[in-house]
Structure formats: structure tokens, C-alpha cells
């Protein structure tokens, strides 16, 4: 009700609960949204790091093969 524009005092009275309970719930929801945004950023960073690991592993394999080719040529 508060998110749809009703005042906290009206909502508390209509539901028969204290205003502090509503304020506490609002703060909890706000923190939950912030965590969600933070987790989204971490997920993106995680994907980028996984891609970088794959690329570095591929480069390492190429260097290993090159080393074995040049080692045999001597």
C-alpha cells in the first residue's frame, strides 16, 4: 500500500499494525534491492573473469605446443 502511494500512517492504521513495523519493512526491502544490484554487478564481473581465464588457458596451450615444436627442432 505504501509503495502505491498511501501514507505510512494510513497504511498502519488500515492494517492494524505499528508504523515502525512498516518503516522496518521498507528499509529491509531497500537493502534487498541494493544487494540485488550488487549481485548483478558481481555476476557480470564473474562472467568476464571466466572468459579471461578461458582465453589465458588457450594462450598457454598454444605456447606449450610452440615450445614442444621448437624443442624438437634443436
Amino acid at each position: 500500500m505504501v509503495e502505491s502511494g498511501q501514507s505510512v500512517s494510513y497504511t498502519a492504521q488500515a492494517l492494524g499494525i505499528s508504523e515502525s513495523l512498516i518503516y522496518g519493512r521498507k528499509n529491509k526491502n531497500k537493502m534487498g534491492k541494493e544487494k540485488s544490484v550488487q549481485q548483478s554487478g558481481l555476476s557480470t564481473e564473474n562472467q568476464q573473469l571466466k572468459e579471461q581465464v578461458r582465453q589465458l588457458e588457450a594462450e598457454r596451450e598454444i605456447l606449450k605446443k610452440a615450445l614442444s615444436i621448437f624443442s624438437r627442432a634443436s
Side-chain angles (χ1 to χ4, degrees):
M1 292 172 72
V2 172
E3 289 180 357
S4 66
Q6 297 293 329
S7 70
V8 172
S9 60
Y10 173 80
T11 303
Q13 191 175 23
L15 297 175
I17 58 176
S18 70
E19 290 182 23
S20 62
L21 184 62
I22 294 175
Y23 283 117
R25 178 58 73 184
K26 279 178 61 174
N27 288 335
K28 196 171 189 177
N29 285 343
K30 182 180 177 185
M31 288 191 300
K33 289 177 186 176
E34 290 172 357
K35 282 184 180 181
S36 177
V37 168
Q38 184 181 22
Q39 286 177 343
S40 176
L42 289 175
S43 177
T44 301
E45 182 181 11
N46 190 31
Q47 289 293 71
Q48 291 171 344
L49 290 172
K50 284 181 178 183
E51 179 57 35
Q52 188 176 11
V53 166
R54 279 191 286 271
Q55 183 179 353
L56 291 171
E57 287 174 341
E59 290 175 6
R60 184 184 67 191
E61 290 302 313
I62 291 169
L63 291 172
K64 278 180 163 178
K65 289 178 183 178
L67 180 62
S68 77
I69 291 171
F70 288 118
S71 295
R72 285 185 274 168
S74 300

